[in-house]
Amino acid sequence: DRQRAQTIEETLAVFSAPARVVEINRGPTITQFGVEPDFIESRGRRTRVRVGKIAALADDLALAMAATRIRIEAPVPGKGYVGIEVPNEEIALVRGRK
């Protein structure tokens, strides 16, 4: 998961949308990466990367992660970051109680 988080950070940086992965939540079928947008310098001012810019890079992120598709939840309710949901390579079985 840490390697996949690094791939997300590097891909966003290449497209001038620097961000840091601040949280990783692994589920049975998907992993959600909490991504906090960083600041960029433009015309002598520091501004935060727009959430829309990260959302627009969904296809590029899917290509970099070798995923069929990813889902971007912007912003995650109750949190201060953008959620990027990537399908897991192996689906885990979840057992229910009797």
Side-chain angles (χ1 to χ4, degrees):
D1 287 344
R2 197 64 219 148
Q3 180 64 34
R4 294 166 75 190
Q6 185 176 353
T7 302
I8 290 172
E9 290 175 350
E10 290 171 356
T11 303
L12 290 173
V14 165
F15 289 100
S16 300
R20 291 180 299 121
V21 174
V22 294
E23 187 173 311
I24 300 172
N25 295 317
R26 186 169 182 83
T29 58
I30 64 155
T31 299
Q32 182 186 55
F33 296 90
V35 177
E36 184 177 82
D38 269 345
F39 292 92
I40 54 173
E41 292 281 335
S42 63
R43 299 184 193 138
R45 292 178 36 189
R46 286 184 60 171
T47 56
R48 192 173 286 275
V49 173
R50 290 184 166 178
V51 172
K53 187 169 188 174
I54 294 173
L57 295 172
D59 291 338
D60 296 303
L61 283 168
L63 181 64
M65 306 276 302
T68 54
R69 66 181 179 90
I70 63 170
R71 189 173 87 102
I72 296 183
E73 186 176 11
V76 175
K79 305 284 185 175
Y81 55 74
V82 176
I84 298 178
E85 296 178 351
V86 181
N88 293 335
E89 294 168 3
E90 290 185 18
I91 296 175
L93 293 176
V94 178
R95 295 187 180 237
R97 286 193 202 173
K98 289 186 178 183

